[in-house]
Amino acid sequence: MLSNSLARLMVQEFRGPVAESEDGSGTGGALFTSGNEYDGAFYQNKLHGKGTYKWQDGTTYEGEFGNNKMTGYGKYTWIQGSIYTGEFKDGKKHGQGTFVLQMDSEGNRYEGGWKEGKPCGHGHLIYQNGASYTGEFENGLRHGKGRLVYASGNVYDGEWKDNVKHGHGKMTWTTKGEEYDGNWFEGKPDGMGTYIWRLNAIRDHQYPLLNIYRGTFVEGMRHGFGVFQYANGARYEGEWFQNLKHGKAKFSTDNGRQYIGTFDNDRPTIPFSRFENSVPYVFRVPQEQGHTVEGVLSDLNNIIFRHVIELRKIYHYYCHLAQRHSDEPRNVITRDIVWKLFKEIGITKQVTLVDVDRACAILYKGDLIAEHRYHEPHVPSTEFILHDFIEILVLTSHHLYKNCKERSIHQVGIAASFAYMIKTDLLPHSHGLHQEDETLTEDEKVVKSLYNDFYLLYGEKMSNLYHDLAKKQPHALSQSRKDFTMTVRQVLLTLKEYKILDQYKTLSISRVIESFAKIYPFIHDGDSYNLEFEVFCFIGACIHGCL
């Protein structure tokens, strides 16, 4: 704009009331020697107040002026059609504003903060090709936290520095089914991070359909220490060099056999036979005094060999009960279905499902790949392949029967507890898996059908509501971030708050407690109720209470 001292010298003529004003104040127009024009308010011969300034090439500004400069709110229009609407300070875009860059029929659009003529602060930028960025800017560049959605559909959500990914962020390549969540340096994964490769499903399967690497990166490559979990269950834990396994490591095959040694150029330095396998199932097991881990695993594998047909039968039966997405066929069991199994075999009459989850989750603490099972021990959709399912049974049996005097004299420790659970709980149940509906009365079949229909329609919403209301209880895992549950008391207060107890007279407090007691008998001891008892999603108790 015009400098204060030269403004009047550059004016060729004034028009309107301001031309007759003694101090150059008022409204009117001015024609400048450059050919530019102004119509609006003046104060002491200066452009001050609301007005319109038009350059000779057709560019215009309409808005507020202060001391000969664009200051305040206004609209700046370029001859090619680009427009800025927003705040100005000292002749520059400054404050909040919207800029549309017109290029042919389409253009970029930015809406947000400005500083000295450049995007700064929080803003939203839509690119001509359909990409968009929402986040922080500095000096016109993406800088700070922000989310970039590429035209391809790929997404980066994280930290930026001078327009480059830098700091912590998550990149999702939707076009190839990959994602990286971790530290970035100058646009490349660098530091600690997790990389996931998702695989396409071609038939029913039990594996999680993804490879996972959790460890260190250098300039975009796996380099340093890291753990690679393969989709088939194999696992490499050790050193890497420029994306290759290299150095000291432990490798477990898909059936659990281990190689401990060194790797060179992605291969073990000492060959080992794939089929020499005395202990195919390797589990996380708690330490027991007087028993080595190797000995415990050997005993557990002997038990599994004797009952593997029944264990597989149970697993595959309950796999078909799991909720599955139509676009990703799975042959895998989920946590909520494991809960269903434990209820049906009577585990919940001896111990709470909350405690079972915690007993299993505690052994995942510190695991580079599976630590989410420690921090999220009660997520219903968590998936388990057959190996993980058997591990849950082993850990649950130990939690239940480690002090039981009726265990077999032929095994000791964890193996004895597992053998007792198979004999007492699992085998009797497995014989009648496909005969369950034949033993139900007509009323029970109706209740079951209603429950299943309601669960399909509203189960996910009820689960989300539960997790919004759940909180950390006194007995939660101390360092777990999401060991959240609800007590019976909190469930009742929630039902009362939503006026469900008042609206449906059949759903009284006593009916809800009785419904919970059918699953967990020790809630009610005959004379009193334990309202501090922790429970999961209360949809089942509510429906059964109504019916």
Side-chain angles (χ1 to χ4, degrees):
M1 292 305 295
L2 307 175
S3 68
N4 297 337
S5 60
L6 298 178
R8 194 166 183 84
L9 295 178
M10 298 176 64
V11 175
Q12 182 174 322
E13 66 172 321
F14 285 100
R15 299 187 297 262
V18 70
E20 301 176 1
S21 173
E22 293 182 359
D23 64 351
S25 300
T27 60
L31 176 62
F32 296 88
T33 56
S34 61
N36 301 340
E37 297 180 6
Y38 171 78
D39 286 295
F42 291 83
Y43 179 73
Q44 295 181 351
N45 295 319
K46 298 175 183 177
L47 281 55
H48 195 91
K50 291 185 178 180
T52 300
Y53 193 99
K54 184 175 182 179
W55 282 262
Q56 191 177 21
D57 64 0
T59 301
T60 61
Y61 169 77
E62 181 180 359
E64 297 175 317
F65 291 80
N67 202 26
N68 270 349
K69 297 180 179 179
M70 295 179 293
T71 298
Y73 189 86
K75 178 180 180 181
Y76 196 107
T77 305
W78 283 262
I79 56 174
Q80 80 275 21
S82 298
I83 298 174
Y84 170 82
T85 305
E87 296 175 302
F88 290 80
K89 182 179 179 182
D90 294 333
K92 296 180 179 180
K93 298 182 284 290
H94 192 97
Q96 293 295 311
T98 300
F99 177 72
V100 178
L101 176 62
Q102 195 66 30
M103 300 175 63
D104 297 326
S105 60
E106 298 180 356
N108 298 342
R109 176 187 176 91
Y110 171 78
E111 182 175 356
W114 296 79
K115 183 177 180 181
E116 297 184 351
K118 298 180 180 179
C120 187
H122 186 81
H124 179 62
L125 175 60
I126 300 176
Y127 296 90
Q128 184 180 5
N129 64 359
S132 65
Y133 171 82
T134 302
E136 301 298 317
F137 289 82
E138 184 175 302
N139 201 30
L141 304 176
R142 297 186 294 270
H143 192 96
K145 292 184 178 180
R147 174 184 173 89
L148 175 63
V149 180
Y150 294 83
S152 62
N154 297 338
V155 179
Y156 174 79
D157 192 348
E159 296 177 303
W160 298 80
K161 181 180 179 182
D162 297 335
N163 248 18
V164 176
K165 304 177 189 72
H166 193 93
H168 185 271
K170 180 178 180 179
M171 179 72 196
T172 303
W173 291 272
T174 57
T175 53
K176 55 181 181 179
E178 298 178 9
E179 68 181 52
Y180 170 77
D181 188 352
N183 198 61
W184 297 74
F185 183 79
E186 296 183 350
K188 297 179 180 179
D190 198 291
M192 197 69 181
T194 301
Y195 203 109
I196 298 176
W197 296 261
R198 301 188 184 279
L199 310 178
N200 294 325
I202 57 176
R203 60 179 183 274
D204 284 355
H205 56 87
Q206 63 163 297
Y207 294 114
L209 278 183
L210 48 85
N211 296 324
I212 304 176
Y213 171 81
R214 168 72 174 168
T216 57
F217 290 80
V218 174
E219 294 187 351
M221 294 183 288
R222 300 184 293 278
H223 193 95
F225 182 84
V227 177
F228 198 107
Q229 182 82 39
Y230 293 85
N232 67 352
R235 177 183 174 106
Y236 174 89
E237 183 175 351
E239 297 174 334
W240 296 77
F241 180 79
Q242 296 182 353
N243 276 348
L244 300 177
K245 306 178 192 71
H246 192 89
K248 296 180 180 179
K250 178 174 70 174
F251 180 76
S252 302
T253 64
D254 53 349
N255 56 20
R257 194 171 61 83
Q258 295 185 347
Y259 166 83
I260 300 176
T262 58
F263 279 72
D264 183 27
N265 199 30
D266 225 29
R267 296 179 179 276
T269 56
I270 302 176
F272 67 107
S273 171
R274 181 181 179 85
F275 301 104
E276 288 182 8
N277 201 355
S278 59
V279 184
Y281 292 97
V282 178
F283 304 115
R284 297 169 178 83
V285 291
Q287 292 286 345
E288 281 193 315
Q289 187 174 2
H291 304 283
T292 64
V293 173
E294 292 76 11
V296 171
L297 292 176
S298 178
D299 291 343
L300 288 173
N301 274 268
N302 289 335
I303 297 171
I304 293 171
F305 288 153
R306 292 200 300 271
H307 302 290
V308 68
I309 294 178
E310 290 85 358
L311 291 173
R312 287 182 178 273
K313 176 183 176 183
I314 294 172
Y315 176 80
H316 289 295
Y317 173 79
Y318 280 92
C319 280
H320 293 297
L321 302 182
Q323 298 300 314
R324 296 181 295 177
H325 299 293
S326 60
D327 59 343
E328 188 177 330
R330 303 298 301 275
N331 188 20
V332 65
I333 202 168
T334 52
R335 189 188 300 277
D336 58 340
I337 302 302
V338 175
W339 292 340
K340 176 178 174 63
L341 166 65
F342 285 167
K343 291 175 186 176
E344 292 179 352
I345 64 177
I347 295 299
T348 55
K349 296 180 180 180
Q350 307 173 65
V351 67
T352 73
L353 292 176
V354 174
D355 288 338
V356 168
D357 282 350
R358 288 171 181 160
C360 297
I362 191 69
L363 294 182
Y364 291 100
K365 183 179 180 182
D367 189 291
L368 283 175
I369 296 295
E371 192 174 27
H372 64 279
R373 293 184 180 176
Y374 173 77
H375 290 298
E376 299 178 337
H378 312 302
V379 176
S381 59
T382 301
E383 298 177 342
F384 303 100
I385 60 174
L386 176 63
H387 170 277
D388 299 339
F389 172 69
I390 296 177
E391 183 175 79
I392 291 174
L393 296 180
V394 169
L395 297 175
T396 301
S397 68
H398 176 66
H399 183 71
L400 276 172
Y401 300 122
K402 58 185 174 184
N403 297 318
C404 178
K405 297 180 181 180
E406 300 177 4
R407 296 184 303 178
S408 171
I409 60 174
H410 302 292
Q411 288 93 20
V412 294
I414 297 174
S417 299
F418 185 46
Y420 185 79
M421 182 183 191
I422 291 177
K423 177 183 177 181
T424 306
D425 303 316
L426 293 173
L427 289 183
H429 179 67
S430 68
H431 298 317
L433 284 180
H434 298 282
Q435 304 172 3
E436 178 184 358
D437 288 341
E438 299 177 6
T439 62
L440 296 177
T441 65
E442 290 301 317
D443 288 343
E444 289 173 334
K445 290 180 180 179
V446 171
V447 170
K448 180 179 178 181
S449 177
L450 288 173
Y451 177 83
N452 290 337
D453 291 343
F454 189 91
Y455 187 89
L456 287 174
L457 290 172
Y458 303 109
E460 184 176 355
K461 293 181 179 179
M462 293 293 290
S463 177
N464 293 336
L465 174 62
Y466 172 85
H467 286 288
D468 288 339
L469 297 171
K471 58 184 66 176
K472 202 156 191 175
Q473 307 294 343
H475 299 293
L477 298 171
S478 60
Q479 298 180 21
S480 177
R481 292 192 291 268
K482 295 184 179 180
D483 184 1
F484 299 151
T485 60
M486 293 181 72
T487 64
V488 175
R489 185 187 305 278
Q490 291 165 344
V491 170
L492 293 173
L493 291 174
T494 299
L495 295 176
K496 183 177 181 181
E497 180 181 350
Y498 281 87
K499 298 182 180 180
I500 296 177
L501 294 178
D502 297 332
Q503 184 175 357
Y504 303 105
K505 295 182 179 179
T506 55
L507 189 60
S508 62
I509 292 178
S510 60
R511 289 292 299 273
V512 174
I513 295 176
E514 289 172 3
S515 297
F516 277 126
K518 292 179 182 178
I519 304 173
Y520 310 105
F522 35 86
I523 288 182
H524 180 35
D525 63 4
D527 297 321
S528 60
Y529 298 110
N530 177 11
L531 298 185
E532 301 309 313
F533 182 82
E534 293 178 70
V535 295
F536 293 127
C537 302
F538 47 89
I539 179 175
C542 294
I543 296 175
H544 283 246
C546 290
L547 298 173

